Amino acid sequence: MAAPDDEGAAPRTRITDEAGNEPEPVADGQVESEKEPDTAPLLGTQEAEELRTRWQEIQQGFVDDPKQSVLAADGLVAEVMQLLATTFADHKQGLESQWHRGEEVATEDLRLALRQYRSFFDRLLST
């Protein structure tokens, strides 16, 4: 929603986390979403920690049941890939819903979206 002194300006999309909270400022006054795309995490901090914990549990179980650990690792990797795909699909849906309602999407929001896609694309190809 535009601020009162921004009358006539195109509405801007506020960037929030899954709970609808705005990102907290980090070093140099930036917020998490303004970090360089190459360093900005693709998942939320809590979500990433939960996934890392699950991965550690899988590794620890390898000695007792290697086959089950490999199956669990496969499932976890597939889950993370699906989670990333859903994250990007949700972001795309948000932009498209603005277009379908006839709202103007701020060029800066589109620029940030393109940077995120470029970074994700580059990281996928570098693995």
Side-chain angles (χ1 to χ4, degrees):
M1 183 187 310
D5 54 326
D6 289 343
E7 287 184 42
R12 295 192 37 99
T13 302
R14 286 188 13 222
I15 298 174
T16 60
D17 63 14
E18 290 178 9
N21 301 316
E22 292 188 35
E24 293 294 321
V26 291
D28 300 327
Q30 290 182 316
V31 294
E32 192 75 24
S33 62
E34 292 173 344
K35 284 184 178 179
E36 285 298 313
D38 295 341
T39 61
L42 296 172
L43 300 172
T45 305
Q46 181 178 353
E47 194 168 38
E49 280 304 311
E50 289 171 5
L51 292 166
R52 283 187 185 96
T53 298
R54 289 174 57 194
W55 180 260
Q56 289 172 350
E57 291 168 358
I58 290 168
Q59 283 185 291
Q60 292 169 353
F62 182 82
V63 173
D64 294 329
D65 194 346
K67 183 178 178 181
Q68 179 56 38
S69 291
V70 170
L71 290 171
D74 177 66
L76 184 58
V77 168
E79 184 179 331
V80 170
M81 291 173 63
Q82 182 61 47
L83 189 58
L84 290 172
T86 300
T87 299
F88 278 92
D90 290 347
H91 184 69
K92 177 184 170 193
Q93 182 180 11
L95 291 173
E96 288 178 343
S97 69
Q98 286 180 318
W99 293 328
H100 290 278
R101 290 189 310 257
E103 294 178 18
E104 191 69 28
V105 179
T107 302
E108 179 64 10
D109 292 337
L110 295 172
R111 184 185 72 79
L112 290 173
L114 186 60
R115 284 180 62 186
Q116 290 171 340
Y117 280 120
R118 179 187 66 202
S119 173
F120 184 62
F121 181 76
D122 289 342
R123 285 189 263 179
L124 286 173
L125 295 181
S126 69
T127 57

